[in-house]
Amino acid sequence: QVQLVESGGGLVQAGGSLGLSCAASGRTLYMTTMAWFRQAPGKEREFVASIIMDYGSTFYAESVKGRFTISRDDAKNAVYLQMNSLKPEDTAVYYCAAGPLSRRSDRYDYWGQGTQVTVSS
């Protein structure tokens, strides 16, 4: 089992920045990829970014490319999402996930509880 705990959400004005953190514990040796997804009210959960833990390769949704940066700290078993130039459409609950490399949420085995990000216009 892997436990994931997110932190760092909040309220920010459009154009501002926020950083999210995800701390992993448990059987982290078996994590190959960590990712961030988000879910806005009335919408399906969507892929935001992912990182391959061993190699550091990163992948982004087109909607966030150039604005968001995913990174990792192997020593702390942590993943981060730096969000810049935020837009109101970025408002959602953001979830950290661990599993195989995929942009599909149903492929991920472990999930955090989510953290709210609200961007005001």
Side-chain angles (χ1 to χ4, degrees):
Q1 291 291 329
V2 174
Q3 294 79 42
L4 303 173
V5 178
E6 302 102 334
S7 60
L11 173 65
V12 66
Q13 288 189 332
S17 299
L18 272 178
L20 304 182
S21 300
C22 175
S25 61
R27 298 171 68 87
T28 58
L29 180 65
Y30 300 98
M31 293 191 313
T32 55
T33 303
M34 292 189 73
W36 290 95
F37 286 79
R38 67 186 181 186
Q39 189 166 18
K43 294 188 177 181
E44 292 187 354
R45 192 168 296 189
E46 65 173 358
F47 171 79
V48 175
S50 62
I51 186 165
I52 300 177
M53 298 303 286
D54 284 344
Y55 303 109
S57 303
T58 58
F59 306 87
Y60 296 93
E62 284 298 322
S63 60
V64 307
K65 198 173 290 185
R67 299 188 297 122
F68 291 11
T69 302
I70 189 170
S71 60
R72 77 195 196 288
D73 185 329
D74 290 337
K76 296 182 179 179
N77 285 324
V79 172
Y80 308 97
L81 186 69
Q82 179 63 38
M83 304 182 292
N84 299 327
S85 302
L86 282 161
K87 304 175 181 180
E89 51 264 43
D90 294 318
T91 295
V93 177
Y94 283 70
Y95 296 91
C96 177
L101 179 62
S102 177
R103 292 176 180 245
R104 292 178 49 171
S105 60
D106 61 351
R107 297 294 176 88
Y108 284 78
D109 303 308
Y110 303 103
W111 292 87
Q113 80 285 358
T115 185
Q116 177 70 46
V117 171
T118 302
V119 184
S120 63
S121 58

